[in-house]
Amino acid sequence: MKRVKTLTGLLLLGFASVVSAQHAEDDWPKPMKTSLTGQLMIDRLEISQTDNGDNVVTWDAIGWYGGDEKRLYIKTEGENQLNDGETSELESAEVLASHLIAPFWEIQAGLGLRGSLDSDVNREHYAVFSLFGLAPYRFEIDQSLTVNEDGDIAASLEAEYDLRLTQVSYLQPRLEVAAALTDALDYDRPRGFNSMTLGLRYRYELSREFAPYIGAYWRQSFAKTADLEEARGKDDSEFGMVIGVRMWF
């Protein structure tokens, strides 16, 4: 009988809690306060050697600060070919405001620039709109649409997936696709499907914040982009081996 009374009491207490939750007053405090935090993730800091014997340093970093629904992002990617007498090439440097629109998905908008870091070169300025998040099965997706000051429109897609091998090691396939919806010949970006890059990296976490990796990639240019590269004496495809580190703060 005592156990029955105890069980009845617990059921009544649970029912009362549900009723109280359904009739929460507007001026009641939230159970958890909104907090602001941030992170700097250097997803790729690597040196690669191509099948042409070129050595290239590549970086890919993202930083953010904010809460659960609204954040401020800074993204940057670029590369520098060693010993070629040229300055680094900035693929993108962007500042974006972000808003959570669904679980694991954010819509982002902001401004960016890209081009050579040579002081004598006019760099391309653009507005950018992105859909950023995790697709089903935890594919990391970053798809962007950019519009520069001349009205030229370009699109890109980056996708990654971490396949866990052990508690501290991962195999990461990676896909990058670039396309242009309008001709932007001043920036060597003809209309159409420009290029695709496939990569595979093996990463080992010495700690959660520091993980060296090795891997390989294959890049292929298409259509008019391939024609432009061949006209300059370059190959329209490239294979390379990479060694690098992924770290975050």
Side-chain angles (χ1 to χ4, degrees):
M1 179 64 71
K2 185 176 180 179
R3 294 177 62 184
V4 173
K5 290 183 178 179
T6 302
L7 181 58
T8 303
L10 290 173
L11 290 174
L12 290 174
L13 181 60
F15 179 75
S17 299
V18 172
V19 172
S20 297
Q22 291 176 345
H23 294 83
E25 300 295 335
D26 293 337
D27 59 348
W28 284 10
K30 294 182 178 180
M32 293 183 63
K33 293 184 178 179
T34 301
S35 61
L36 301 179
T37 186
Q39 183 187 65
L40 173 61
M41 168 69 78
I42 302 175
D43 191 40
R44 290 182 298 148
L45 182 59
E46 63 190 34
I47 182 168
S48 61
Q49 185 172 66
T50 71
D51 50 0
N52 294 322
D54 298 327
N55 296 312
V56 181
V57 174
T58 301
W59 73 87
D60 180 0
I62 180 171
W64 61 267
Y65 183 79
D68 293 333
E69 295 185 357
K70 294 181 175 62
R71 293 178 179 178
L72 180 67
Y73 277 84
I74 297 177
K75 301 179 184 179
T76 177
E77 293 185 47
E79 63 179 29
N80 178 266
Q81 182 174 324
L82 302 180
N83 303 318
D84 68 343
E86 301 291 336
T87 57
S88 297
E89 187 73 17
L90 188 64
E91 295 182 11
S92 65
E94 300 170 353
V95 178
L96 308 105
S98 175
H99 182 72
L100 190 72
I101 58 172
F104 307 111
W105 285 103
E106 302 173 54
I107 189 168
Q108 303 175 336
L111 300 174
L113 63 87
R114 53 191 166 214
S116 172
L117 294 183
D118 191 325
S119 59
D120 295 332
V121 174
N122 291 325
R123 287 177 284 277
E124 181 182 10
H125 298 81
Y126 58 87
V128 56
F129 307 91
S130 297
L131 184 62
F132 180 75
L134 289 177
Y137 304 102
R138 301 189 66 82
F139 285 88
E140 297 183 26
I141 303 293
D142 189 355
Q143 43 196 342
S144 300
L145 189 72
T146 64
V147 184
N148 68 11
E149 58 264 75
D150 298 323
D152 301 319
I153 304 173
S156 65
L157 168 69
E158 295 184 11
E160 298 178 353
Y161 181 73
D162 281 346
L163 176 63
R164 184 188 293 271
L165 302 179
T166 69
Q167 290 295 321
V168 294
S169 62
Y170 300 82
L171 194 62
Q172 184 192 69
R174 177 183 174 86
L175 168 69
E176 295 183 40
V177 177
L181 280 68
T182 59
D183 283 321
L185 299 181
D186 290 342
Y187 303 106
D188 298 329
R189 198 169 58 246
R191 181 179 180 180
F193 188 29
N194 298 146
S195 64
M196 178 178 68
T197 304
L198 294 173
L200 186 66
R201 291 166 175 79
Y202 171 76
R203 185 173 79 244
Y204 186 88
E205 292 182 342
L206 297 179
S207 69
R208 299 297 293 179
E209 299 85 4
F210 188 86
Y213 62 81
I214 58 173
Y217 72 89
W218 170 73
R219 179 184 296 124
Q220 178 67 54
S221 299
F222 300 99
K224 295 180 180 179
T225 303
D227 294 339
L228 286 174
E229 293 185 350
E230 290 177 354
R232 295 174 179 173
K234 296 182 178 181
D235 294 334
D236 60 2
S237 66
E238 179 180 286
F239 176 80
M241 303 294 295
V242 305
I243 181 171
V245 65
R246 180 181 190 260
M247 52 188 172
W248 56 272
F249 309 93

